[in-house]
Amino acid sequence: MKKLLACAALLLAANLAHAQGVGINATGAPADTSAILDLSSTSKGLLVPRLTSAQRAAIALPATGLVVFQTDGAQGLYWNAGTPASPSWKQVGEAGAGGGGQWTASGSNIYYSAGKVAVGTTPTQFRFTVQDTGSVFRVQSNNTTGLMASLGGYGQVQVDAPGVAGGRLALLGNGNLGLGVANPTNKLSFAPVLGKKISLYPGATGDVGFGVAANRLQIYADNPNADVAIGYDSAGVFNERFAFKPNGALAVNGNTGAAGQVLQSGGSGAAAAWVNPARLYYGASTQTLVLDSGTSGFIPGLATTVTTSTAMTALVSVTIPVFTTECFACGFGGGDFSIMLDGVAQNLLRMRLVIGADETFSATQPVTLSAGTHSIDVLINNVGPNFAGYGGWFDEPTRAYLTVQVFPQ
């Protein structure tokens, strides 16, 4: 009797399962009316058959929709998207016909080429769109030698301004980079706007960089006490060679020189240095020097001083126009003049002049200058003898001049 009752219960359960579905759970709750099999648990899951890829391929006439878990290769759930006679196994989530997803697997990689991708927004005209919805978009490499991005081929990179394609930044396929320029024609181009262009140290004070004014390139510093220096850097230590001071002075190796000095090149083997001018011009006095026979005197105003910090060579040139008063039967007159260095004559040039005539005499004399200050002037003599009693030599200072050229030894 008990056996008969058990068989009847099993038949009844089978009929109920056929009509309502099977519910497997710990509470005895019936299956959902829409499910043929309803599994319910808070601590356990569904375990489908586990096969290797070879075992899966060896299944004879797999039913369409048959599901297995592949344990090797690209592990995951696989199902037959084909027919028993012509199976086509797809991994769950794989793109393609019957794959159930949009990404396509290629070994351990996935790709998508059928449409557009968007993050934080709806796909529009671009293949890939990212919209900031509250957090910053970042591409980061934790490897110090890692490659952040690689842009190859003939592509361009554009960063748009609002409503302007490429209005912020444009990197063309030829390597030209434009800031505020959509079509840069140079390796680095800026928008055609005057003002500061490159800020090397931005800030409220101390801002330095490059700017553009009308037809003018500017190297600027906002701090009125800042220098603009040129030099070289060795191991993080800057070595100044030239500097433009805020007051406009030019410093060479930290030295601004003395007033009146000039910058002299040292050639390829030495640094440039401040030296006394290589050429000095001095005007003559407007006075007239009248000498009787046998007398001498310094030409008024035709004198100068030269100061050197080291021994130098001076090339002293003097030009003097002279004339004599007329004298009956005097014939010719004679005289001489000397270039004087610190009161010592450096030469003696004899002059011979027809009475009543005028002429210009000149001489050039190299002299050696020791370090210090030196006086240079011109002494003229009326040696006669035919000028006796007739006033002798006359100097015309407005046309006389003295030239001193100073050179390193």
Side-chain angles (χ1 to χ4, degrees), residues 298 338-346 374-379:
F298 289 96
S338 300
I339 296 173
M340 307 294 290
L341 173 63
D342 298 330
V344 178
Q346 302 299 304
H374 304 274
S375 63
I376 300 175
D377 47 15
V378 179
L379 179 68

Side-chain angles (χ1 to χ4, degrees), residues 100-377:
Q102 291 180 294
W103 296 101
T104 300
S106 176
S108 59
N109 306 311
I110 61 172
Y111 66 92
Y112 176 68
S113 59
K116 302 180 179 68
V117 176
V119 178
T121 185
T122 301
T124 55
Q125 70 269 31
F126 302 109
R127 295 298 298 271
F128 180 69
T129 305
V130 177
Q131 177 174 305
D132 186 0
T133 57
S135 300
V136 177
F137 172 72
R138 168 178 286 182
V139 177
Q140 178 175 317
S141 173
N142 291 329
N143 186 343
T144 57
T145 60
L147 182 65
M148 296 294 295
S150 178
L151 304 173
Y154 299 94
Q156 300 182 8
V157 176
Q158 300 278 349
V159 177
D160 299 339
V164 180
R168 293 276 174 82
L169 180 145
L171 177 59
L172 305 187
N174 59 7
N176 289 357
L177 175 64
L179 302 177
V181 181
N183 296 295
T185 57
N186 301 298
K187 291 307 176 185
L188 179 60
S189 299
F190 294 88
V193 178
L194 300 180
K196 297 178 180 179
K197 293 296 183 179
I198 300 177
S199 182
L200 302 177
Y201 190 85
T205 59
D207 184 16
V208 295
F210 297 88
V212 176
N215 297 318
R216 186 179 188 184
L217 172 64
Q218 297 174 323
I219 303 175
Y220 69 87
D222 282 354
N223 191 321
N225 298 316
D227 295 351
V228 177
I230 301 173
Y232 73 95
D233 188 283
S234 176
V237 178
F238 181 73
N239 297 271
E240 177 186 308
R241 287 297 174 258
F242 295 91
F244 296 93
K245 300 298 182 180
N247 61 359
L250 172 62
V252 180
N253 293 321
N255 182 11
T256 56
Q261 287 188 316
V262 296
L263 186 60
Q264 178 176 279
S265 171
S268 60
W274 294 106
V275 298
N276 291 307
R279 179 171 297 213
L280 301 174
Y281 293 93
Y282 299 87
S285 168
T286 58
Q287 301 178 35
T288 300
L289 178 64
V290 180
L291 297 175
D292 291 329
S293 178
T295 62
S296 64
F298 289 96
I299 300 178
L302 207 63
T304 187
T305 59
V306 176
T307 301
T308 63
S309 57
T310 60
M312 306 285 280
T313 297
L315 192 62
V316 183
S317 299
V318 61
T319 300
I320 306 173
V322 295
F323 69 95
T324 63
T325 57
E326 294 187 5
C327 173
F328 178 74
C330 287
F332 293 91
D336 61 51
F337 66 89
S338 300
I339 296 173
M340 307 294 290
L341 173 63
D342 298 330
V344 178
Q346 302 299 304
N347 75 335
L348 181 64
L349 180 64
R350 181 60 57 87
M351 299 175 288
R352 188 169 181 267
L353 186 66
V354 176
I355 300 302
D358 57 12
E359 193 171 337
T360 299
F361 293 92
S362 63
T364 299
Q365 178 69 38
V367 296
T368 299
L369 303 179
S370 59
T373 300
H374 304 274
S375 63
I376 300 175
D377 47 15

